[in-house]
Amino acid sequence: MSNDQRLYAGVDVGQPIYDADGNELGTVRGVDDDGFYVLAPEASPEKTLGEARDITGKDYVMWRCWECGELGRIEDELPAECPDCGAPREDLYYWAED
């Protein structure tokens, strides 16, 4: 991660992130040109594909691998692992593609 990315997002890896009511949403997992990614606490419920579409407002929701950047279309759920690099499901996250 470059210093420019940190300055752009105004956050750093490991920093806690809060909503407008002061509830902790999780910690910053990574930063890239698109913004920053939050790792939710262990107790957070998993989101269904329908909930992910409701959050993003987009029907075309994909998954992205944190390790290699591979993208894939979500059919019913996230794959068990990244088909490109073998990273486990925990390293995959929802990605809204325009």
Side-chain angles (χ1 to χ4, degrees):
M1 174 184 350
S2 72
N3 286 333
D4 290 340
Q5 288 172 323
R6 285 189 190 124
L7 292 174
Y8 171 76
V11 298
D12 205 356
V13 173
Q15 176 181 338
I17 300 296
Y18 301 91
D19 67 13
D21 296 325
N23 301 309
E24 185 173 341
L25 300 174
T27 56
V28 175
R29 177 179 184 179
V31 178
D32 67 15
D33 292 336
D34 293 315
F36 63 92
Y37 303 91
V38 176
L39 178 63
E42 292 288 329
S44 296
E46 290 187 16
K47 301 286 184 208
T48 66
L49 181 55
E51 289 169 328
R53 288 182 173 136
D54 289 343
I55 291 168
T56 64
K58 300 179 190 255
D59 287 332
Y60 196 62
V61 178
M62 301 179 72
W63 58 264
R64 186 170 187 185
C65 178
W66 183 256
E67 292 298 319
C68 71
E70 179 73 15
L71 289 168
R73 186 170 183 178
I74 297 176
E75 299 302 327
D76 293 323
E77 61 181 31
L78 291 171
E81 64 180 24
C82 175
D84 192 53
C85 72
R89 177 180 281 164
E90 292 77 22
D91 286 341
L92 306 178
Y93 55 95
Y94 290 121
W95 183 262
E97 188 75 11
D98 290 331

